[in-house]
Amino acid sequence: MKKELAKTYDPKDIEDRLYEKWINKKYFHAVVDKEKKPFTIVIPPPNITGQLHMGHALDNSLQDILIRFKRMQGFNTLWQPGTDHASIATEVKIIEELKKQGIDKVDIGREGFLERAWEWKEEYGGKIISQLKKLGASCDWDRERFTLDEGCSEAVTEVFLKLYKQGYIYKGSRIINWCPECKTSISEAEVEHEEKAGHFWHIKYPIVGGGFVEIATTRPETMLGDTAVAVHPEDERYKSLVGKNVILPLMNKEIPIISDYYVDKDFGTGVVKITPAHDPNDFEVGKRHDLSEINIMNDDATINSNGGKYEGLDRYEARKAIVKELEELGLLVEVEDHSHNVGMHDRCNTTVEPLIKQQWFVKMDELIKPAIEAVKTGEIEFIPERFDKTYFNWTDNIRDWCISRQLWWGHRIPAYYCDACGEIIVSKEEPSRCPVCGSTDLRQDEDTLDTWFSSALWPFSTLGWPMDTKELDYFYPTDVLVTGYDIIFFWVVRMVFSGYAHMGKKPFSKVLIHGLIRDSQGRKMSKSLGNGVDPLDIIEQYGADALRFTLVTGNSPGNDMRFYIERVEASRNFANKVWNASRFIMMNLEKAKVGAEIDKKLLTLADKWILDKANNLVKDVTNNMEEFELGIAVAKIYDFVWEEFCDWYIEMVKPRLYSETDETKEAALWTLNHVLVTSLKLLHPYMPFITEEIFCTLQEMLGVYEAESIMISDWPVYDTAYLYGNEAEAVETIKLAVKGIRNVRTEMNVPPSRKATVIVVSESEKIRNIFTESKVFFGTLAYSNEVIIQADKDGVHKDAVSAVIPGAVIYMPFTDLIDIDKEIERLEKEKKKLEGELKRVNGMLSNKNFISKAPEEKLSEERAKLDKYTGMMDQVTERLDNLSRR
């Protein structure tokens, strides 16, 4: 380590070097230590297909801040890392690669495909991990896990068998989200709802015996699978029709008119078509009324044999043909324009089709109960608390979870079918024969499990479950989960119920929710808009510390934030400020010997003020961070370092540093060192690289070693020995006076180089004493060549300008601030220049020829100039009059 900081701060010179040091020194690695209290976070595992985006950068910065904070507080911290196999995302990627080579996945078979998939994972799967390292993530990389590794796979199989034996996992037909392009069921997390222009087709259904009812639908092709029409039980218009039948147009079959509270009697005509096989709400209505379920689509969204003469048509072709025929039959009432949300598969951008399918499901009604109770009782706490409502919105309306996917990459369902007798055998190992009929003609289920099935087990599978490991006993339950509000249901709810179902304990105590990163216009970052910002580009240009600092300063729990490059530049400027201030302090420390302690009698008013400020900052920041108010905490650190420490205290002590005789110089140096180290420690969780470089260089230079690294040094603690309330109040008085003086000088355009006598007048002996004790640095900050302190106005010239503060008035002789003759000369020149401009503008605006021909834009421009120059002339004239009277 160098004994001095480089002249300029360059993140490229330090970040990779320091991260390699941290890795080699095993600072991130956690081992079970019963003497220390654990603090555990499990990383939301990024997809192996993933590329670090701003959402990842925010999510992992927040986690790293908490881990570094707790590590410095003395906790035994484990940040458990890993990646998700992301079944559908990965499979899509590999299929795309195969297509480039002219290969269909069916051609190489399941085993050949999986071989390619593992090769792809080895080549590309670690990319996002290396990107997280660039961000400074202090995960325990020795414990990195993968949702398809041997241990996690064993946990998945164990849970499937357990839930199956308990009757919670079953195979049955229910409505699921189906992607006709990928030909698999998909989760709600993989469905993106887009606002699209569509239509309401109003159709007449003939009533048996005469008359019609009118329904409206956005998907007329699904009417081929209608098995009822429904009205509200309390809708007087249709009470007499309940129990009768209608003729289903085009299919020419009778279906019943039923009543159900699902119907909104105030929407449209109050009559709805019921298609149990193609709508989740209709499916539930169908169950209540024992309606048949008619699936009219093949897996590729073409119409099947249940669609009669429309068989073989694509769903949209069928729609056109159906609408045309309804119109010909006189059954199409009207076509109404209608914008509505359409579910799109996020991987292939195909419209998702709700279909009834034979799939594997988890029965949720009992499993969810402990998860609901945990949040209700406060055993698990959401931050902010308002996300309880989002959580309960899902848990209170939960449906059985479809866990099977028609994919090859993933955990294959451990179920085997006997073709001889139809028995289903769920087993950890492949059975040799059927336990019912003895047949050896067995085949394994082709489907894999939903990716969320394995990630639901992440908090305990990563710690060794189902084995009873010492890590599981020590680090579980984990402490905090950090995640976005968009996956509360898909991941958080499932982890909670899984924790109680398999561990008998909550998976974590707190859930810190953050929002989305949007662009500067408030739009969601997306490929289609081309408005995404690559975090790695920001790191390359400004450094990881600047990016992290920006993301956290603009963030408050649960809220979206806008990303502005100007904020990154401001963060980089702050890093430069810290670096340069540290260099200045170290240059002065290098010339003197500073002990670990100081005789407090040598501390001046300014020293005690900054020590009091720093002490209170420690208390406030620690409290904020304990309450997960990370943005508030870092804003306080920023304000303190930039304003109080750099702009005020360092300027206050410069006269003492430059003096060879000041007996308080040692106290100034000790205070600078103490406050710098405290500030670096508070800042470290947010800006780990720059704080490490400065801390270690400072220790090397002084030859005093608290710790090998700032990350394993002690977090600052509030100390009553540094309570200097009276002294702090006194310096605030000085600051008010300095600000007042600077404001007056700014208004009078007095340059800092022009010094003036400053006369402090106060009847209060206490205030006079404050200024007497602070005379040295007050004079410097106030651009004064002499400071006079007195109880009355005796000797103060009547022309003196003043600044008023509580309990005192600060005077400065006018002639000290302004050379009257030179100022009059300057103003006369300015007046002459303005007279010329006014003459020109007035001449143009009084010229009728100009006014008639000039465009309005030019006229407006000249009128604006007239107003501006007139105002400036008034000010110059007034100033000349005032000076002439002196």
Side-chain angles (χ1 to χ4, degrees):
M1 179 69 71
K2 301 173 186 176
K3 287 193 177 183
E4 62 178 28
L5 291 176
K7 188 174 181 181
T8 56
Y9 164 60
D10 186 352
K12 291 177 187 174
D13 287 345
I14 66 172
E15 291 187 349
D16 288 345
R17 167 171 53 83
L18 291 177
Y19 199 85
E20 186 179 358
K21 166 194 163 182
W22 295 336
I23 291 285
N24 292 338
K25 292 283 189 178
K26 299 281 188 187
Y27 293 148
F28 307 160
H29 185 54
V31 293
V32 173
D33 182 354
K34 298 285 187 180
E35 300 298 312
K36 296 176 77 175
K37 189 175 180 182
F39 181 86
T40 313
I41 294 178
V42 291
I43 198 171
N47 293 351
I48 56 168
T49 58
Q51 167 89 4
L52 190 74
H53 56 62
M54 278 299 176
H56 290 131
L58 170 63
D59 193 82
N60 287 281
S61 292
L62 295 173
Q63 292 172 77
D64 196 41
I65 289 163
L66 293 172
I67 282 289
R68 288 177 183 272
F69 168 52
K70 290 297 178 179
R71 186 184 288 124
M72 292 175 74
Q73 281 190 316
F75 286 81
N76 190 9
T77 54
L78 169 62
W79 186 8
Q80 173 63 55
T83 49
D84 195 296
H85 65 280
S87 55
I88 195 161
T90 307
E91 186 145 331
V92 167
K93 286 272 187 188
I94 296 160
I95 288 171
E96 286 173 358
E97 290 296 316
L98 290 173
K99 277 183 180 176
K100 290 175 186 175
Q101 301 167 41
I103 302 171
D104 189 292
K105 79 170 190 175
V106 178
D107 297 337
I108 57 175
R110 188 178 196 123
E111 293 308 313
F113 181 82
L114 290 177
E115 190 177 316
R116 297 285 188 105
W118 279 104
E119 287 172 2
W120 189 94
K121 188 263 176 188
E122 290 307 313
E123 187 172 353
Y124 299 107
K127 185 177 181 182
I128 196 160
I129 295 299
S130 63
Q131 293 172 338
L132 286 173
K133 290 177 179 178
K134 288 290 286 184
L135 188 66
S138 61
C139 298
D140 186 347
W141 299 114
D142 294 339
R143 295 180 179 275
E144 185 183 339
R145 299 298 301 271
F146 176 50
T147 49
L148 265 182
D149 68 26
E150 187 178 348
C152 289
S153 296
E154 186 181 349
V156 166
T157 304
E158 184 78 16
V159 166
F160 191 97
L161 266 63
K162 177 183 174 183
L163 293 179
Y164 182 77
K165 286 174 184 174
Q166 292 174 336
Y168 290 119
I169 285 182
Y170 66 93
K171 191 170 189 182
S173 294
R174 295 186 70 85
I175 285 278
I176 50 93
N177 294 310
W178 183 262
C179 175
E181 176 66 26
C182 300
K183 296 181 180 61
T184 179
S185 59
I186 59 174
S187 72
E188 281 292 337
E190 291 152 335
V191 178
E192 285 190 351
H193 292 277
E194 295 180 12
E195 184 80 12
K196 294 206 169 188
H199 300 94
F200 258 138
W201 283 271
H202 293 258
I203 304 165
K204 291 193 291 189
Y205 282 34
I207 302 169
V208 175
F212 296 90
V213 289
E214 182 184 319
I215 64 95
T217 178
T218 57
R219 298 156 67 213
E221 65 277 9
T222 62
M223 67 184 290
L224 304 175
D226 286 359
T227 54
V229 295
V231 297
H232 193 279
E234 296 168 5
D235 194 332
E236 296 295 335
R237 294 172 295 176
Y238 304 115
K239 272 191 174 181
S240 62
L241 296 180
V242 176
K244 292 185 178 183
N245 289 346
V246 295
I247 302 293
L248 178 60
L250 309 181
M251 302 304 288
N252 295 316
K253 65 178 180 181
E254 293 187 18
I255 57 175
I257 301 172
I258 62 172
S259 64
D260 194 280
Y261 284 97
Y262 158 67
V263 180
D264 182 354
K265 62 183 180 179
D266 298 320
F267 183 77
T269 62
V271 184
V272 296
K273 61 193 279 302
I274 302 297
T275 320
H278 292 277
D279 183 276
N281 294 311
D282 291 4
F283 177 81
E284 298 299 334
V285 173
K287 288 294 181 191
R288 289 195 288 273
H289 296 271
D290 198 24
L291 300 175
S292 56
E293 298 157 353
I294 303 172
N295 179 13
I296 55 107
M297 284 190 194
N298 297 311
D299 288 353
D300 61 356
T302 56
I303 305 301
N304 64 21
S305 58
N306 290 328
K309 63 184 176 182
Y310 303 101
E311 182 181 1
L313 292 178
D314 171 77
R315 54 183 164 171
Y316 300 121
E317 292 171 350
R319 178 181 295 179
K320 289 177 185 175
I322 287 166
V323 169
K324 185 172 184 291
E325 189 165 348
L326 287 169
E327 189 172 15
E328 290 170 353
L329 293 170
L331 297 175
L332 185 65
V333 179
E334 67 169 315
V335 181
E336 176 189 350
D337 289 340
H338 175 67
S339 290
H340 60 128
N341 276 324
V342 177
M344 312 293 290
H345 187 189
D346 65 355
R347 300 296 168 191
C348 64
N349 208 36
T350 301
T351 300
V352 172
E353 196 65 48
L355 288 183
I356 194 161
K357 282 276 190 183
Q358 267 272 319
Q359 300 284 329
W360 288 91
F361 294 88
V362 177
K363 190 173 174 59
M364 291 303 306
D365 52 356
E366 287 299 319
L367 285 172
I368 201 64
K369 287 179 180 176
I372 295 171
E373 195 62 21
V375 177
K376 279 186 177 176
T377 60
E379 188 174 22
I380 294 175
E381 179 187 348
F382 277 87
I383 302 158
E385 190 179 347
R386 69 177 186 271
F387 284 98
D388 286 9
K389 292 177 184 175
T390 306
Y391 181 87
F392 291 133
N393 184 50
W394 283 107
T395 58
D396 293 348
N397 298 285
I398 202 157
R399 290 174 175 159
D400 288 357
W401 174 18
C402 176
I403 55 171
S404 47
R405 298 290 181 267
Q406 290 62 55
L407 301 166
W408 284 349
W409 175 248
H411 298 97
R412 193 168 179 181
I413 291 175
Y416 302 84
Y417 301 96
C418 175
D419 288 332
C421 70
E423 179 69 9
I424 299 176
I425 307 120
V426 172
S427 171
K428 188 174 184 179
E429 308 293 339
E430 183 176 357
S432 57
R433 62 182 61 249
C434 174
V436 175
C437 71
S439 172
T440 57
D441 190 9
L442 304 176
R443 58 186 172 82
Q444 188 174 356
D445 196 306
E446 291 289 327
D447 291 353
T448 53
L449 286 163
D450 179 11
T451 297
W452 298 102
F453 192 92
S454 52
S455 48
L457 318 180
W458 191 247
F460 50 90
S461 65
T462 51
L463 295 172
W465 192 91
M467 302 293 288
D468 187 17
T469 65
K470 60 182 181 179
E471 285 84 2
L472 190 63
D473 178 60
Y474 180 69
F475 289 113
Y476 188 92
T478 69
D479 291 271
V480 184
L481 177 77
V482 180
T483 191
Y485 59 65
D486 50 339
I487 56 171
I488 287 176
F489 171 66
F490 309 114
W491 193 40
V492 178
V493 171
R494 288 166 181 168
M495 279 191 290
V496 175
F497 89 71
S498 297
Y500 285 106
H502 310 301
M503 292 295 296
K505 296 176 185 175
K506 61 185 177 183
F508 30 71
S509 299
K510 298 182 187 298
V511 183
L512 176 59
I513 300 291
H514 61 76
L516 304 177
I517 306 287
R518 299 186 177 274
D519 70 7
S520 58
Q521 298 176 46
R523 300 173 302 175
K524 188 175 179 180
M525 291 185 181
S526 67
K527 287 181 183 175
S528 59
L529 288 173
N531 62 344
V533 179
D534 188 340
L536 295 172
D537 290 344
I538 301 296
I539 290 171
E540 174 67 21
Q541 189 172 356
Y542 298 98
D545 284 339
L547 174 61
R548 290 166 62 115
F549 195 84
T550 302
L551 292 174
V552 181
T553 50
N555 183 264
S556 61
N559 295 323
D560 292 350
M561 67 169 284
R562 296 188 181 194
F563 184 85
Y564 298 93
I565 198 67
E566 294 81 4
R567 287 183 181 169
V568 185
E569 290 168 353
S571 299
R572 172 64 187 268
N573 291 342
F574 177 63
N576 283 332
K577 184 90 168 178
V578 172
W579 186 270
N580 293 334
S582 300
R583 283 192 80 244
F584 172 79
I585 293 167
M586 290 165 69
M587 283 164 54
N588 283 279
L589 287 170
E590 200 172 17
K591 303 169 190 173
K593 189 171 183 180
V594 178
E597 298 297 329
I598 192 71
D599 182 353
K600 289 190 176 180
K601 292 176 185 174
L602 296 175
L603 294 173
T604 67
L605 204 62
D607 300 334
K608 291 176 180 178
W609 165 74
I610 198 66
L611 290 169
D612 182 84
K613 282 276 185 183
N615 194 35
N616 282 306
L617 179 71
V618 167
K619 181 175 71 173
D620 290 348
V621 166
T622 304
N623 289 341
N624 289 140
M625 293 185 74
E626 296 285 10
E627 295 298 319
F628 302 96
E629 297 166 344
L630 306 184
I632 294 173
V634 78
K636 289 178 180 177
I637 298 168
Y638 175 93
D639 289 343
F640 173 82
V641 171
W642 190 294
E643 294 179 19
E644 310 292 14
F645 189 44
C646 294
D647 286 357
W648 284 102
Y649 181 71
I650 290 177
E651 295 303 316
M652 287 177 184
V653 298
K654 279 181 178 178
R656 292 157 66 193
L657 299 179
Y658 300 151
S659 170
E660 295 300 325
T661 58
D662 195 319
E663 61 180 9
T664 68
K665 182 175 181 177
E666 184 185 348
L669 290 166
W670 180 89
T671 305
L672 283 167
N673 182 53
H674 176 85
V675 176
L676 174 60
V677 170
T678 299
S679 301
L680 292 172
K681 288 183 176 185
L682 295 177
L683 188 58
H684 174 72
Y686 300 89
M687 302 181 96
F689 293 106
I690 191 172
T691 51
E692 172 81 337
E693 181 76 355
I694 296 169
F695 179 85
C696 293
T697 306
L698 178 62
Q699 287 194 136
E700 184 79 11
M701 190 201 78
L702 293 176
V704 177
Y705 298 91
E706 177 192 340
E708 271 189 338
S709 165
I710 194 170
M711 78 166 64
I712 53 172
S713 67
D714 292 336
W715 182 257
V717 292
Y718 182 68
D719 189 344
T720 53
Y722 294 120
L723 291 180
Y724 297 110
N726 292 334
E727 291 86 344
E729 187 182 336
V731 173
E732 292 301 327
T733 299
I734 298 292
K735 284 173 63 184
L736 281 175
V738 170
K739 287 176 183 176
I741 290 167
R742 289 178 177 177
N743 287 339
V744 168
R745 293 174 65 100
T746 299
E747 288 169 9
M748 297 177 67
N749 295 316
V750 182
S753 58
R754 189 175 181 95
K755 306 302 179 188
T757 300
V758 172
I759 305 160
V760 180
V761 176
S762 176
E763 295 178 356
S764 166
E765 185 180 357
K766 178 183 174 184
I767 290 178
R768 293 199 302 275
N769 288 340
I770 288 171
F771 281 91
T772 301
E773 193 173 339
S774 311
K775 216 175 196 183
V776 174
F777 72 80
F778 173 63
T780 302
L781 296 173
Y783 310 119
S784 170
N785 52 14
E786 183 183 13
V787 177
I788 300 168
I789 301 158
Q790 57 192 51
D792 51 43
K793 283 181 65 177
D794 284 355
V796 177
H797 195 276
K798 64 177 182 178
D799 281 346
V801 294
S802 64
V804 180
I805 64 168
V809 180
I810 317 297
Y811 293 97
M812 290 170 286
F814 185 84
T815 51
D816 280 13
L817 299 172
I818 299 290
D819 183 322
I820 294 177
D821 291 338
K822 282 188 177 180
E823 182 65 3
I824 288 174
E825 184 183 344
R826 185 187 72 79
L827 288 169
E828 289 289 359
K829 286 180 183 177
E830 181 69 16
K831 182 180 178 183
K832 190 172 182 181
K833 182 181 173 184
L834 287 168
E835 284 171 347
E837 290 293 343
L838 284 167
K839 183 178 179 182
R840 184 192 65 79
V841 175
N842 280 315
M844 291 178 74
L845 291 176
S846 60
N847 186 328
K848 292 180 181 178
N849 192 39
F850 171 76
I851 291 174
S852 63
K853 292 181 179 179
E856 185 57 41
E857 187 179 338
K858 177 64 176 173
L859 289 172
S860 298
E861 184 183 319
E862 293 302 323
R863 288 180 187 125
K865 285 180 182 177
L866 177 62
D867 290 342
K868 182 177 82 168
Y869 294 143
T870 301
M872 291 172 68
M873 179 62 86
D874 290 343
Q875 289 176 9
V876 168
T877 304
E878 183 183 355
R879 189 114 168 97
L880 279 168
D881 288 344
N882 289 336
L883 289 174
S884 299
R885 287 197 294 267
R886 288 182 182 273

